Amino acid sequence: MASWATGSPNAITGRRVPLRFRLHTAMAGVPGLGGDLTRWTLDELAETARYVAAYKAVRRTVQHGHLHRLTEPGGPGPHAVQYVGGDGAVLFEWRPAPDSRPAPPVRLRGLLFGARYRVTDDALPVTAPPALFSGSARMSHGLPPTLPPGPFSSRMVTLRRE
């Protein structure tokens, strides 16, 4: 799947969507950048550069890994997909619309039951150290719900096998 992160407000709908959400959505496939980048602010360009670097680190897993749809597309609540391949996994989670319900833990799939994974969640502060979890714990109990509140919130979680 190819997906583009374009400018905001959207040229067709006029809807304003945070850059982070647009980039996370595009990164769940083969991302592209669109719109008039000369109109993006320096902060937006710097944020985009950070996400491009993050995507390059997980690109092989996303493009060649096994896709697991963790929630029903178009269903209520947050949406989540996970890619598993090589020595790790990548989770993308989005809340596209207002929803007052708290996000539930996300139960992962396809991990090695007895392996330990170093988990980094970009919804947490940069100073938060990566956590170490077993594959069995993340598949049976899920990941803690750290999806920020509000519409158009998103996160990317990477898991690297130790």
Side-chain angles (χ1 to χ4, degrees), residues 60-119:
R60 184 162 192 75
T61 302
V62 172
Q63 291 182 8
H64 300 287
H66 295 282
L67 168 64
H68 297 274
R69 296 184 191 282
L70 303 178
T71 58
E72 182 179 330
H79 307 296
V81 296
Q82 175 194 356
Y83 296 89
V84 180
D87 65 346
V90 183
L91 164 77
F92 292 99
E93 186 178 17
W94 308 272
R95 181 184 293 119
D99 191 343
S100 60
R101 296 172 292 178
V106 177
R107 289 190 174 84
L108 302 181
R109 297 185 195 150
L111 302 178
L112 295 176
F113 194 77
R116 298 193 54 81
Y117 293 86
R118 187 157 307 277
V119 179

